[in-house]
Amino acid sequence: MGATGRLPRAERLPPRRDRWWRGAVLYQIWPRSFADGNGDGIGDLRGIGERLDHLARLGVDAVWISPFYESPMRDFGYDIADHRAVDPQFGTLEDFDRLLARAHALGLRVLVDFVPSHTSDRHPWFLESREDRGNPRADWYVWADPRPDGTPPNNWLSVFGGSAWQWEPRRGQYYLHNFLKEQPDLDLHRPEVREALLDVARFWLERGVDGFRLDAVEFAFHDPRLRNNPPRREGPAPGGAAPDSPWAMQRHRFDKGRAELNALFLQPLWRLTEAYGGRVLLGEVTGEHARARIARHTNGGGLDMAYGFDLLTGEITASRVREAVEGMQARIGGGWMCWAFSNHDVRRAPSRLPVADPPDAARLLLPVLLCCLPGSPCLYQGDELGLEEAELSFEDLRDPFGIAFWPRFPGRDGCRMPMPWKAGAPHGGFSETTPWIPFHEPHRRRAADRQYAEPGSIYRRLAAFLAFRRTQPALREGDIRFLDPTGPLLAFERRRSESRILCVFDLGGEGGSFRPAARPRPLLSSAAGVSGTRIELAPWGFLLAEPGEG
Ligand code: BGC
């Protein structure tokens, strides 16, 4: 257990000198399922390198690559055993350097995942720490004695099920793990641990990465007094938790979201990245009262952007999108959001619409809408093809989270299926051999090669939209004002000085019409048009327009 002393005050950091990331479009790659470059059935860095053209032509600005570091893969890479090595399944450091150089040559920035809160239980730091109570790294993880009756020190729970404490016979103590027991929690109250993490960041900055996505960063600090979390009132499970999971029955007052995070870790890391110039920090911030913490973190608190969960879970409807975005913007002021509808942890967006098997128009609307919201949007691999969630049977599950919570929650495999690259190839062209998880056949008809060839495909139309978006300062950096259409339409205006764009979407799948204050001049649309002074939308239609004067 770490002693904190007095809490240093978090000063407000100045703005970044280079803010290329404001309004940039990010694209998340989950390497295991993106593209297999060496034919072993597992996606890898070489595979990513070979597919960068897919992203450059789509028109994204940056990619965020989920962990590819050496790992026993209990949590598919989020359990890191060596922060400075590429796992052999994913390639080598030279492969990474080549990938980075190629991305930069194409004008794509690269963010890598950084996991400060925990390591793998095979990490040399943990192997040393667990040996006894007197070794040089004895305090690098969160260790605690049992209570007199032998039970764990407090009521903290693991997001992935069960107690957050695991017994270690060598020390006769428990260690903390917020996720799997194979992911012991580092004690960032210790300055030497923070220094070691900053060294890891330095290593990747020296290689030329453009920033970090900070995984589960709010778990980095805990209450050193180990006070019990209070119970939580009813309500939907906070983002990232399985529905009905015991973890969602607590208020996470003491095991995460602690105030030390800014001054002790985020701000030193921010200063380090700022010294390199042109880098960015994107932090995952979830859970109850996330808006207040996002406001603190992204207004000089050490994060440039917060990756929030408000749009990542639950049904996607006009009212939910409006509530999430309007509520967040009102709360964060000058802070900055990174919005996503899909990622490697949640059900894919087309499968969260209120209709089963939504048509292509709906699958196109989702990424376009995302990229019209204020902040920096983050697409997830497959969004550009309109991929839906794969429904798996228990036998097909690989994700320990899903295996633990089946059948109430099937886990995260359904959004981690191999990418469909070639409609006519075995395993959808993802790999020449049987992939680590079977290729999802229904995705074949959405394969990338087919979509490149069809002018009306989701990929081609999204690329056209992103090219348009690049020219629109109102969409990249403008503020937002919601309008009040009737029914399941969503309408808002983005504005940056003189430039204004009206955006109207049908999220109910039944079409509708909206009469703005003055006759708009259409700029880009799908299944929609202007008739007289009205905007008419067919089901899942959308229209972007220059608002009329009036
Ligand atoms: C990541 C998950 C991971 C967890 C533990 C999350 O926020 O996105 O995929 O399992 O952190 O590292």
Side-chain angles (χ1 to χ4, degrees):
M1 204 198 311
T4 47
R6 278 193 58 203
L7 193 62
R9 256 172 60 97
E11 315 230 326
R12 213 174 153 127
L13 295 167
R16 284 277 190 206
R17 282 171 293 152
D18 182 349
R19 306 207 287 179
W20 63 265
W21 41 271
R22 281 169 78 99
V25 178
L26 278 62
Y27 181 102
Q28 182 197 354
I29 292 178
W30 198 71
R32 197 174 185 81
S33 291
F34 191 67
D36 177 12
N38 69 354
D40 66 353
I42 297 174
D44 47 40
L45 296 179
R46 208 195 298 166
I48 297 173
E50 288 165 2
R51 296 286 174 184
L52 286 175
D53 285 335
H54 172 81
L55 304 178
R57 285 199 310 268
L58 180 62
V60 303
D61 300 292
V63 295
W64 143 34
I65 311 177
S66 281
F68 47 81
Y69 316 109
E70 199 171 298
S71 164
M73 302 291 163
R74 300 305 291 261
D75 190 19
F76 295 109
Y78 283 95
D79 48 328
I80 299 174
D82 184 345
H83 295 97
R84 292 176 172 80
V86 172
D87 193 278
Q89 290 188 351
F90 293 135
T92 62
L93 268 181
E94 291 66 43
D95 290 331
F96 179 78
D97 291 340
R98 268 193 292 275
L99 159 61
L100 189 62
R102 170 111 181 96
H104 285 166
L106 289 169
L108 296 167
R109 317 248 187 174
V110 177
L111 276 65
V112 296
D113 226 301
F114 186 27
V115 187
S117 148
H118 47 267
T119 67
S120 157
D121 62 347
R122 310 263 187 92
H123 196 294
W125 296 345
F126 185 72
L127 296 179
E128 188 177 342
S129 188
R130 76 171 182 189
E131 263 325 298
D132 52 51
R133 300 183 188 197
N135 69 73
R137 293 203 169 83
D139 294 332
W140 278 41
Y141 291 81
V142 183
W143 294 101
D145 292 332
R147 286 188 292 200
D149 63 358
T151 56
N154 64 21
N155 72 354
W156 296 355
L157 296 170
S158 153
V159 178
F160 291 167
S163 167
W165 297 97
Q166 176 67 21
W167 181 249
E168 171 50 65
R170 293 172 184 81
R171 291 181 54 136
Q173 279 184 310
Y174 284 101
Y175 67 83
L176 178 68
H177 61 90
N178 289 298
F179 298 93
L180 297 175
K181 68 178 176 14
E182 292 84 3
Q183 292 169 297
D185 201 72
L186 282 164
D187 190 350
L188 272 80
H189 292 285
R190 298 281 162 193
E192 57 277 24
V193 172
R194 302 197 298 269
E195 213 31 70
L197 289 169
L198 291 182
D199 273 347
V200 170
R202 232 172 251 122
F203 175 85
W204 292 101
L205 290 166
E206 286 292 329
R207 293 204 104 80
V209 303
D210 299 287
F212 300 110
R213 177 264 186 181
L214 301 174
D215 177 68
V217 68
E218 290 202 307
F219 287 92
F221 289 86
H222 62 285
D223 172 33
R225 290 164 56 197
L226 304 184
R227 281 170 284 183
N228 281 328
N229 281 327
R232 184 174 157 268
R233 289 190 303 277
E234 292 295 297
D244 302 338
S245 92
W247 190 86
M249 294 164 65
Q250 293 188 353
R251 287 182 53 212
H252 293 278
R253 263 184 69 186
F254 296 113
D255 53 350
K256 70 183 282 270
R258 308 293 296 167
E260 292 91 330
L261 179 64
N262 298 92
L264 291 185
F265 184 65
L266 293 181
Q267 297 194 336
L269 181 61
W270 189 95
R271 287 195 192 93
L272 173 68
T273 53
E274 183 62 358
Y276 281 84
R279 317 296 166 109
V280 66
L281 294 181
L282 165 65
E284 186 186 33
V285 184
T286 67
E288 284 192 302
H289 311 298
R291 288 178 191 169
R293 297 194 310 280
I294 288 175
R296 181 171 83 229
H297 297 322
T298 64
N299 280 288
L303 287 184
D304 299 302
M305 309 189 268
Y307 185 85
F309 263 59
D310 288 5
L311 298 181
L312 281 167
T313 50
E315 203 169 62
I316 300 176
T317 62
S319 58
R320 288 199 72 225
V321 172
R322 176 174 180 166
E323 196 286 322
V325 175
E326 204 169 33
M328 186 69 78
Q329 291 304 121
R331 192 70 186 74
I332 65 174
W336 201 258
M337 278 305 290
C338 173
W339 291 111
F341 275 139
S342 299
N343 75 12
H344 67 296
D345 288 335
V346 303
R347 210 170 155 72
R348 282 185 176 275
S351 304
R352 292 191 292 115
L353 286 171
V355 296
D357 195 18
D360 277 14
R363 296 171 195 245
L364 169 66
L365 175 149
L366 289 166
V368 170
L369 166 58
L370 187 77
C371 296
C372 285
L373 298 178
S376 301
C378 185
L379 300 169
Y380 175 53
Q381 65 190 39
D383 283 354
E384 74 283 19
L385 305 176
L387 300 188
E388 71 282 347
E389 183 81 358
E391 312 297 344
L392 303 179
S393 60
F394 184 75
E395 294 64 44
D396 286 332
L397 299 190
R398 306 283 192 275
D399 177 17
F401 193 12
I403 292 169
F405 282 91
W406 179 271
R408 286 285 298 154
F409 171 64
R412 305 168 294 179
D413 296 304
C415 63
R416 297 174 173 184
M417 294 287 112
M419 278 281 280
W421 292 109
K422 294 184 189 151
H427 316 296
F430 165 75
S431 173
E432 287 156 15
T433 186
T434 307
W436 69 279
I437 193 163
F439 177 73
H440 185 57
E441 281 302 328
H443 284 169
R444 188 181 289 282
R445 68 196 170 103
R446 302 192 174 278
D449 64 344
R450 206 176 256 184
Q451 298 209 27
Y452 299 154
E454 273 173 33
S457 69
I458 296 172
Y459 178 90
R460 293 268 298 263
R461 298 185 69 187
L462 182 59
F465 162 73
L466 291 178
F468 163 77
R469 184 183 179 280
R470 273 175 189 273
T471 64
Q472 302 298 319
L475 288 182
R476 288 179 71 98
E477 291 209 55
D479 49 26
I480 190 165
R481 183 170 67 92
F482 282 89
L483 306 169
D484 297 303
T486 49
L489 299 189
L490 182 69
F492 52 83
E493 197 178 294
R494 302 285 314 276
R495 176 200 288 251
R496 185 165 168 81
S497 28
E498 290 311 295
S499 144
R500 290 159 69 205
I501 296 200
L502 172 66
C503 309
V504 188
F505 297 85
D506 171 36
L507 273 163
E510 289 178 357
S513 67
F514 174 59
R515 189 195 293 273
R519 187 187 162 85
R521 196 172 72 79
L523 296 167
L524 190 143
S525 65
S526 163
V530 173
S531 141
T533 54
R534 298 183 83 79
I535 295 173
E536 302 283 354
L537 298 112
W540 307 108
F542 61 82
L543 183 125
L544 310 187
E546 229 171 62
E549 297 302 327

